[in-house]
Amino acid sequence: IDSAQVPPPEVSLPLEKDSTRFAVIGDTGTGGAEQYRLAQQMIAVHSKFPFEFVLMTGDNMYGSQGPQDFIDKFEAPYKPLLDTGVKFYAALGNHDETDQIFYKPFNMDGKRFYTIKPKPDVRIYAVDSTYVNPEQTAWLDKELADSTSKWKVAFFHHPPYSTGGRHGSDLTIRAALEPLFVKHGVDVVFNGHDHFYERLKPQQGIQYFVSGGGGKLRRGVVAGGDISAKAFDQGYHFMLIEIVGDVMHFQVISEQGKTVDKGSVNRPDAVNGAGPGGN
């Protein structure tokens, strides 16, 4: 597919100077036409909204994971973004071999869990939700406690909250991680695993998103209900995020270039229980 033939999707984000801009994708690593088609939309939108990095919520590779697979399932579809210096930060999913932590373009630095600090007021935590053990929860507890950043964002594979009919909420992960998130004021959590998009209603002041439609799709499986604010399971998608001061703006775009959700998360309101909104 020639990216020049893909018209850039309309961007509703504010594009403020010195904001933190990134994208979120999950469950991408098929090497299939759908992954490439969605990647073309990401490449097209980058000309309008130059995001600096991409968070990958896991299942970065399906099936074999040899050298050619990393080319076909990652380097080739996202090559124009990689060539312009966009960094990808991966979290491990249940289909991922642990050796991915040594694959340099995933920027994991040989670690299953790690943090990045793209701006002084933003700290992002990558968690390995396939193997949550006392070592990792102790690390997360200390890292969150030590952080002075205004925004604390976590991303990992298995969703603590989801209304998906195949997987749904992972109660084990919720029990292990949510108390730490609440204790230390985590604002936003991005997950994958369920192959669709879902924005949950804030849970204990935390905004959860499921973004697992980057290369796989499970149509018609979102149950909805009390905890669900917005969902999209009729196409593939990626998320655009822009943090401006105390507000995180988000926009969700399908492989057709259509906006399927957008809104904002107000950080102080999340602390006060009012929560974020979308439209």
Side-chain angles (χ1 to χ4, degrees):
I1 305 171
D2 181 2
S3 60
Q5 295 175 357
V6 178
E10 290 301 315
V11 176
S12 62
L13 301 173
L15 276 167
E16 292 279 346
K17 186 183 177 188
D18 298 326
S19 63
T20 304
R21 302 173 197 162
F22 59 97
V24 181
I25 54 175
D27 300 79
T28 53
T30 63
E34 296 84 2
Q35 180 190 5
Y36 277 72
R37 194 172 300 122
L38 189 72
Q40 291 301 328
Q41 293 291 353
M42 292 177 67
I43 292 158
V45 86
H46 188 262
S47 63
K48 280 189 169 184
F49 181 78
F51 50 88
E52 304 151 49
F53 59 95
V54 180
L55 303 182
M56 302 174 72
T57 63
D59 283 358
N60 315 306
M61 294 282 143
Y62 290 99
S64 60
Q65 302 184 26
Q68 188 60 43
D69 294 295
F70 282 90
I71 295 171
D72 295 340
K73 301 171 185 178
F74 177 73
E75 293 174 30
Y78 309 116
K79 185 177 189 303
L81 297 174
L82 293 163
D83 286 350
T84 60
V86 174
K87 280 195 162 186
F88 286 69
Y89 294 96
L92 294 176
N94 53 291
H95 285 276
D96 295 319
E97 294 177 3
T98 307
D99 281 354
Q100 286 183 20
I101 64 176
F102 302 111
Y103 177 57
K104 286 191 175 177
F106 283 173
N107 290 292
M108 301 178 78
D109 197 27
K111 299 168 183 171
R112 293 190 298 110
F113 41 91
Y114 61 96
T115 76
I116 58 175
K117 192 173 184 179
K119 289 281 197 304
D121 60 348
V122 179
R123 175 73 77 171
I124 300 175
Y125 303 81
V127 174
D128 179 3
S129 59
T130 306
Y131 301 104
V132 174
N133 56 18
E135 175 201 4
Q136 185 173 188
T137 52
W139 166 86
L140 185 60
D141 192 15
K142 184 178 188 308
E143 287 287 336
L144 287 167
D146 290 347
S147 174
T148 57
S149 297
K150 277 200 306 185
W151 283 94
K152 295 178 181 178
V153 177
F155 73 106
F156 49 94
H157 192 56
H158 302 83
Y161 293 93
S162 164
T163 71
R166 176 65 180 269
H167 298 302
S169 302
D170 191 315
L171 302 182
T172 303
I173 294 300
R174 188 194 299 179
L177 299 181
E178 188 176 52
L180 295 177
F181 295 161
V182 173
K183 174 183 174 184
H184 296 296
V186 168
D187 302 290
V188 179
V189 176
F190 298 102
N191 304 116
H193 199 43
D194 271 322
H195 298 161
F196 51 72
Y197 167 76
E198 187 168 29
R199 169 165 53 89
L200 288 307
K201 293 177 182 174
Q203 302 297 316
Q204 300 198 57
I206 301 166
Q207 177 63 63
Y208 291 88
F209 292 96
V210 177
S211 182
K216 289 241 182 180
L217 177 63
R218 214 166 264 130
R219 293 181 189 271
V221 299
V222 177
D226 290 345
I227 66 169
S228 185
K230 179 83 173 185
F232 174 70
D233 63 3
Q234 296 303 304
Y236 301 80
H237 78 275
F238 65 95
M239 298 184 70
L240 296 176
I241 309 292
E242 182 173 8
I243 298 177
V244 182
D246 287 325
V247 181
M248 174 185 285
H249 304 270
F250 61 88
Q251 182 176 357
V252 186
I253 297 173
S254 75
E255 83 276 18
Q256 305 295 327
K258 302 278 194 282
T259 295
V260 298
D261 193 21
K262 61 182 179 178
S264 59
V265 179
N266 190 311
R267 196 183 62 83
D269 286 352
V271 174
N272 294 332
N279 50 26

